[in-house]
Amino acid sequence: MRKLFISAFLLFAGMAVTAQNIELTPIFGYSFAGKVNNYGRYFDVKDDMLYGGLLSVQFDDFMYVELSYERNDTKGSTYLETIDMAVEHYQVGFLREFAEGKVVPFAKVSLGTSRYVQKSGGDERVWLFSGGFGAGAKLLLSDRVGLRLFTNLMLPLEFDGAGFWCGIGGGGGGCSGGVSFNVPIVHWDLGAGLIIRLQN
């Protein structure tokens, strides 16, 4: 997964050559995490502070492609124990602005991966495919500096299964297939960041 994230970063570096704007945004906030309580499992991820950063590259009017990293160091509880752990989200997404001026509302969608790392009592690491939805506003203080206020829903996905089948009936034949996922836990993030805009 790290190789994929590095490849995405290099792709962003290539896009930056022709970008209209580039924004670097360190972020800080708070993550409200849920709990897994299905299929006989119980695991509660505690709410905690988050930090990370965003690299946003404008490729068209009002449109950005965005590379993001978020992490929170927290605790997780089962019925039997509580452990120290970290939750990380690596995402590539698209951001759409809805206005020009000093206050710029936006919405975004992203796809990537989430990693859950045990830091005490073991060394278990779990990677899950994940997606995110977000919204917020940029408060531009100057041509180069601004504030970003945001909220995100991060949705890690567990693969349930896949199927492929074909059949022939009185009305003809056909084939179909499907893949199913479930969302074991939801992370709701609120935060702010300092926008540093690099203009060409």
Side-chain angles (χ1 to χ4, degrees):
M1 293 295 181
R2 288 182 180 176
K3 290 180 181 178
L4 181 62
F5 199 69
I6 291 170
S7 298
F9 182 81
L10 293 175
L11 177 63
F12 269 64
M15 291 178 62
V17 175
T18 58
Q20 297 180 30
N21 283 308
I22 301 169
E23 295 176 357
L24 299 174
T25 310
I27 60 173
F28 186 78
Y30 200 80
S31 180
F32 299 90
K35 60 183 69 172
V36 179
N37 194 8
N38 57 11
Y39 304 111
R41 298 178 301 164
Y42 174 82
F43 190 74
D44 183 12
V45 178
K46 303 302 182 186
D47 305 341
D48 216 320
M49 306 303 293
L50 71 86
Y51 59 93
L54 309 167
L55 171 62
S56 309
V57 178
Q58 186 177 12
F59 65 91
D60 201 357
D61 292 343
F62 303 107
M63 296 293 293
Y64 289 76
V65 62
E66 194 165 79
L67 192 65
S68 66
Y69 170 77
E70 290 184 15
R71 176 182 175 117
N72 68 308
D73 295 288
T74 183
K75 295 183 182 295
S77 297
T78 67
Y79 287 123
L80 301 176
E81 63 178 344
T82 298
I83 62 169
D84 294 322
M85 63 177 294
V87 180
E88 296 177 308
H89 304 293
Y90 301 84
Q91 299 282 301
V92 178
F94 291 96
L95 181 145
R96 173 70 159 89
E97 295 179 339
F98 295 105
E100 291 183 305
K102 296 295 185 181
V103 179
V104 182
F106 66 82
K108 66 175 284 189
V109 294
S110 64
L111 291 173
T113 185
S114 296
R115 184 171 81 132
Y116 297 82
V117 181
Q118 186 174 352
K119 293 164 48 178
S120 67
D123 191 31
E124 185 174 353
R125 297 162 191 264
V126 176
W127 290 89
L128 295 175
F129 178 74
S130 60
F133 302 92
K138 299 177 183 180
L139 310 178
L140 301 177
L141 307 177
S142 72
D143 290 340
R144 300 285 184 172
V145 177
L147 296 175
R148 175 170 172 151
L149 306 177
F150 67 88
T151 181
N152 290 328
L153 270 183
M154 202 63 64
L155 308 170
L157 301 173
E158 281 186 326
F159 177 70
D160 276 345
F164 182 79
W165 52 93
C166 296
I168 299 174
C175 293
S176 63
V179 177
S180 62
F181 293 88
N182 77 79
V183 178
I185 192 169
V186 175
H187 301 274
W188 176 38
D189 302 333
L190 293 171
L194 176 65
I195 300 171
I196 302 168
R197 178 171 284 183
L198 309 174
Q199 294 179 310
N200 289 339

